[in-house]
Amino acid sequence: MKRSLIFFVIITCLHLPGSAFSEIIVVPEDAGNIQGAVDQAEIGDTVLVLNGIYNENVDLGRELITVTSNFIFSHSQNDIVATIINGRESGSCVSVLNNRNNPQLIGFTLTKGSSNRGGGFYCEESNPFVSNCIIRNNYASSGGGGLACYDSEPVIQNCRIIQNDCLNYGGGIRFWNSAGVIDHCIVRENTANQCSGIEIMRRNSIVTHTLIADNTTEQGGFYGSLYLNSCEVQVHNCTIVDNNQGLHLGNVQCELINCIIWENGRFQIGAYVQPITLSYSDVGQRNLIDGMIIWGEGNIEEDPLFADIGNYYLTEDSPCIDAGDPEFPPDLDGTIIDMGAYFFRQVPQILVETDSIDFGDVDLENEIFSQQNLIIRNQGRLNLTIDEMEIQNECFDVDFDEEIIIEQDAFSEFELVFTPPDTGYFTGQLTIHSNDPFNGTREIVLNGRGVLPNQIKNSEDIISPINCSFIQANPNPFNAMTEISYSIPKDGNVLMQLFDIKGRMLETILDNQKKSGLHTKELSFNEYPSGFYFLRIETSEFNSTIKLVLEK
């Protein structure tokens, strides 16, 4: 069977300012709230919002700006959860109108928005990029309980649209006359009277690598969990499962490829106006399929063997593994693409639960060395091979002589030894080489100190312990040197890193254990040019980022 296949590549151009005329506005340091910072921002500026709850309704304005949380530096879900825009049920949490300049919203939780359209996020005649956001517990009366786009060209990527509600159309997402992309998203547990998950109307769109699950179209309602009409839509690698209604397809040209459509209540697929093409997909309950279906190549009707109830990752015996269209680009593990939103890693996967090891103090008169153990696990499907371990700095050593194979779900333990040749601090690096194709080289920082009896155990001045956490720089702005003061309420590891204005990490300043209390650290910027920098501190109790201004 010959057919044309359109592959697409989503290129995300994350804009962080790099020119001398671009600025970063920090909230709440430089502006009292997010809207105040957006109003100050000019073309190319970035609004960096520190962790907190912001009770406001934000209009992104008319310019190309980036509004982001600390996620842009940390890539941690914790920063998404901890940076909240609360719409207070008085409008959309975030909106953008008449802005074709690709404004960006990255790394927030949008909640408790209430509006006619788009309770969490609303755009009209705009081209926004919305990434790594949680959009939950919002409401719209007309369309798009979580997110609505009208006459727009949005890209929605790596977002979770969950537990939103709409009185009418699109409990999770509504695209009306919008040519958009929904990529690597979760649309789950949304409700609506008509179409509980995603509705796309009147313009061509792409839905790919997205989970549509557990959505509920209210009793008497119709249009399913995914409703497509008056458009051309590509639906690739989606898992559509456990909704009370499945796909409803109107006057649409649609190709569904590499999908899992399973256990969707009232109907699986309804195609009532013109035929749709279905290929390389796992489709169950075929007695609940109605309408005009063109059954292409590679379809199956077998239990996809999900990991668990509500967990739609595949297990190793799933018939969906390597069962997708072989003409598609392979999965990230290099194998034939799987069916569904989540591919199964058919590779070894190394897990090392620490990035640094502190050997503590070694009393040179009473001890010879300090010993620590390192555990390496294999979380992958294939055997993990540790090819080589190498250490920089001869005062550290590792018990590794030859290649070691770690089977699936197993682990190996390695003995590390620190033998200080003299008093003072010593730092080294352990580099682990393995056959993990995604993380084949792991680096572990090694720290230790040789001391004499009764020597002070900490070279940094520790003032009396306090129960709060903070970080500050003095002076700031500064010329070449500044002093960082920070406090931690409990003993633990402190990670301090320096980033440039584009979010690139320049150096790790600190990554070791510290006692509770107030600490100071002098930083030299002799090697860096004038400009804005960000200093991030992370402990088990808190994380924070401050802006540094270097003026030479």
Side-chain angles (χ1 to χ4, degrees), residues 510-527:
L510 192 63
D511 187 8
N512 51 35
Q513 297 289 314
K514 294 295 176 185
K515 298 288 187 181
S516 64
L518 180 64
H519 300 256
T520 59
K521 180 80 174 177
E522 280 198 347
L523 298 186
S524 172
F525 282 73
N526 289 327
E527 298 180 0

Side-chain angles (χ1 to χ4, degrees), residues 325-338:
D325 188 340
E327 294 185 25
F328 270 62
D331 284 327
L332 293 177
D333 60 4
T335 60
I336 295 173
I337 194 167
D338 298 342

Side-chain angles (χ1 to χ4, degrees), residues 138-430:
N138 300 284
Y139 172 80
S141 58
S142 177
L147 182 151
C149 297
Y150 284 66
D151 303 302
S152 296
E153 296 179 7
V155 175
I156 315 300
Q157 193 173 69
N158 296 317
C159 289
R160 286 178 281 171
I161 295 96
I162 53 179
Q163 298 173 349
N164 302 284
D165 180 45
C166 183
L167 180 62
N168 284 307
Y169 297 95
I173 298 174
R174 189 183 203 198
F175 282 3
W176 178 269
N177 197 36
S178 293
V181 174
I182 301 171
D183 175 44
H184 284 85
C185 290
I186 295 173
V187 181
R188 192 167 185 177
E189 299 178 17
N190 302 284
T191 57
N193 284 345
Q194 308 289 344
C195 180
S196 54
I198 301 172
E199 181 195 47
I200 299 175
M201 295 280 290
R202 296 192 176 182
R203 287 183 70 187
N204 304 343
S205 292
I206 296 170
V207 184
T208 180
H209 290 89
T210 289
L211 172 67
I212 305 171
D214 304 301
N215 299 288
T216 301
T217 302
E218 300 294 349
Q219 186 174 2
F222 208 54
Y223 300 132
S225 57
L226 175 61
Y227 177 47
L228 312 175
N229 196 9
S230 302
C231 55
E232 294 182 19
V233 180
Q234 298 179 51
V235 181
H236 297 169
N237 285 96
C238 289
T239 298
I240 305 168
V241 62
D242 286 340
N243 305 283
N244 75 334
Q245 297 181 12
L247 287 77
H248 185 112
L249 306 169
N251 183 21
V252 59
Q253 295 182 28
C254 178
E255 59 174 13
L256 288 94
I257 305 176
N258 304 332
C259 293
I260 299 174
I261 305 170
W262 201 263
E263 298 289 344
N264 286 296
R266 181 176 168 185
F267 59 86
Q268 288 283 75
I269 303 174
Y272 302 110
V273 179
Q274 61 182 23
I276 66 162
T277 301
L278 188 67
S279 57
Y280 292 96
S281 295
D282 189 2
V283 185
Q285 296 173 291
R286 298 195 180 187
N287 60 310
L288 297 180
I289 295 176
D290 189 19
M292 297 173 282
I293 309 294
I294 299 174
W295 292 95
E297 299 175 282
N299 294 301
I300 62 175
E301 187 181 4
E302 299 181 47
D303 187 338
L305 298 178
F306 293 123
D308 203 349
I309 296 175
N311 182 346
Y312 301 110
Y313 284 84
L314 303 176
T315 54
E316 62 180 336
D317 296 322
S318 171
C320 300
I321 297 173
D322 293 343
D325 188 340
E327 294 185 25
F328 270 62
D331 284 327
L332 293 177
D333 60 4
T335 60
I336 295 173
I337 194 167
D338 298 342
M339 295 175 177
Y342 307 118
F343 81 96
F344 186 88
R345 280 196 178 198
Q346 301 180 66
V347 294
Q349 184 178 0
I350 189 172
L351 174 64
V352 183
E353 296 181 347
T354 182
D355 291 321
S356 65
I357 295 175
D358 192 341
F359 290 85
D361 293 345
V362 177
D363 185 339
L364 295 177
E365 290 191 5
N366 300 299
E367 301 173 291
I368 300 175
F369 61 85
S370 175
Q371 177 182 318
Q372 296 278 357
N373 291 329
L374 176 70
I375 294 176
I376 298 177
R377 301 181 185 275
N378 179 14
Q379 292 191 132
R381 190 177 186 186
L382 303 180
N383 288 346
L384 174 69
T385 301
I386 306 300
D387 303 307
E388 183 183 4
M389 289 189 181
E390 52 185 342
I391 286 183
Q392 297 173 354
N393 198 329
E394 294 181 352
C395 63
F396 299 95
D397 193 20
V398 60
D399 183 17
F400 180 87
D401 297 321
E402 59 184 15
E403 177 182 284
I404 291 179
I405 296 176
I406 305 175
E407 296 182 350
Q408 181 182 354
D409 297 323
F411 69 90
S412 287
E413 192 168 0
F414 301 88
E415 182 181 288
L416 292 159
V417 174
F418 167 53
T419 308
D422 202 348
T423 59
Y425 281 102
F426 297 89
T427 299
Q429 178 174 284
L430 169 66

Side-chain angles (χ1 to χ4, degrees), residues 77-97:
Q77 291 291 312
N78 293 334
D79 283 319
I80 299 175
V81 173
T83 314
I84 300 169
I85 301 177
N86 184 333
R88 303 163 297 172
E89 300 180 354
S90 61
S92 302
C93 296
V94 178
S95 60
V96 54
L97 309 174

